[in-house]
């Protein structure tokens, strides 16, 4: 090492050897260690929500949250639990059951729509006035009562969309049986 540092003074050379060589008297106080500062890591937990949480998600959704938020708020209040393989399996089974139920309800609504559309026209009799005018009007409740009498089916009047009927003639009413299924039925209005 002396041959590589000829231009250094004797004091700096001794400092160099002192810093890089082990001292027999104990640990060398002037020997430096390189320490790389690590960025603070964010502790994230993957959780499943047990109920709807504002600004986070709906029940059953998988979300990543900070460990402190889970530990201090979500877990003590019973709104979430940490993801485990068994919990994921249970969640998948529950999703499959819900999907099967949705498909069953959709198929039922499609079959009911087919029944309503193949029936033909529902006949409504009202007291007549001049020309084609009738007294009063035909309401959704009137149509529900006729469907119940003819088909023995219970239908909620809130799903019936009926145009304003104040004259005799043929009209088309829509029954929203499902968000994806709408049945169109004909309504014939006659005067007595």
């Amino acid at each position: 090492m002396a041959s590589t540092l000829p231009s250094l003074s004797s004091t700096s050379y001794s400092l160099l050897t002192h810093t890089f060589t082990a001292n027999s008297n104990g640990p060398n106080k002037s020997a430096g260690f390189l320490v790389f500062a690590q960025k603070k890591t964010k502790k994230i937990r993957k959780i499943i929500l047990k109920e709807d949480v504002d600004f986070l998600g709906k029940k059953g959704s998988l979300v990543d949250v900070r460990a402190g938020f889970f530990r201090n708020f979500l877990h003590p209040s019973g709104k979430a639990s940490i993801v485990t393989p068994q919990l994921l399996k249970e969640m998948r089974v529950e999703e499959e059951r819900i999907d099967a139920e949705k498909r069953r309800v959709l198929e039922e609504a499609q079959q009911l729509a087919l029944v309503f559309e193949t029936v033909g026209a529902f006949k409504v009799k009202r007291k007549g006035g001049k020309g084609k005018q009738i007294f009063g009007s035909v309401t959704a409740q009137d149509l529900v009562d006729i469907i119940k009498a003819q088909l023995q089916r219970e239908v909620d009047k809130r799903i019936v969309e009926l145009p304003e009927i104040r004259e005799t003639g043929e009209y088309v009413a829509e029954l929203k049986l499902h968000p994806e299924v709408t049945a169109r039925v004909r309504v014939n209005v006659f005067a007595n």
Side-chain angles (χ1 to χ4, degrees):
M1 192 158 172
S3 62
T4 57
L5 298 171
S7 63
L8 289 176
S9 66
S10 63
T11 57
S12 62
Y13 178 72
S14 66
L15 281 175
L16 282 174
T17 56
H18 214 50
T19 3
F20 292 108
T21 60
N23 191 354
S24 62
N25 298 351
N28 188 355
K29 303 260 185 205
S30 62
F33 291 101
L34 271 176
V35 177
F36 293 101
Q38 293 181 345
K39 187 176 179 184
K40 186 176 179 183
T41 59
K42 296 180 182 176
K43 295 179 179 128
I44 302 288
R45 300 283 183 257
K46 193 174 251 334
I47 63 165
I48 294 177
L49 296 176
K50 292 182 180 177
E51 59 185 65
D52 293 351
V53 178
D54 291 339
F55 308 108
L56 194 57
K58 300 221 178 255
K59 178 181 178 180
S61 60
L62 283 168
V63 288
D64 293 333
V65 295
R66 295 232 173 140
F69 182 56
F70 172 74
R71 182 180 57 244
N72 297 325
F73 176 69
L74 294 174
H75 185 63
S77 61
K79 295 184 179 192
S81 61
I82 291 184
V83 174
T84 61
Q86 182 178 357
L87 203 55
L88 281 174
K89 184 179 178 183
E90 289 173 7
M91 197 169 100
R92 255 186 255 115
V93 168
E94 182 69 17
E95 284 177 1
E96 289 171 3
R97 187 190 64 76
I98 289 172
D99 288 343
E101 179 68 21
K102 284 181 181 179
R103 281 192 305 270
R104 187 188 61 78
V105 168
L106 178 63
E107 288 172 4
E108 265 183 29
Q110 289 171 341
Q111 290 174 354
L112 193 58
L114 188 63
V115 168
F116 282 136
E117 290 173 355
T118 57
V119 163
F122 292 102
K123 295 179 176 107
V124 180
K125 292 183 182 178
R126 287 284 184 256
K127 192 172 184 181
K130 291 183 186 176
K132 295 176 89 179
Q133 294 288 328
I134 58 172
F135 289 111
S137 65
V138 178
T139 63
Q141 184 62 48
D142 296 331
L143 184 59
V144 167
D145 293 339
I146 292 168
I147 290 172
K148 186 175 180 182
Q150 287 184 6
L151 299 178
Q152 289 78 34
R153 299 266 183 177
E154 290 287 331
V155 177
D156 189 9
K157 72 177 185 178
R158 292 176 287 193
I159 67 167
V160 177
E161 288 187 16
L162 195 63
E164 187 172 317
I165 301 175
R166 295 189 178 269
E167 296 179 342
T168 59
E170 187 171 309
Y171 298 91
V172 176
E174 290 186 350
L175 303 172
K176 292 202 176 207
L177 304 170
H178 188 271
E180 299 173 12
V181 179
T182 302
R184 299 172 69 90
V185 295
R186 291 179 310 173
V187 179
N188 286 335
V189 181
F190 296 104
N192 283 349

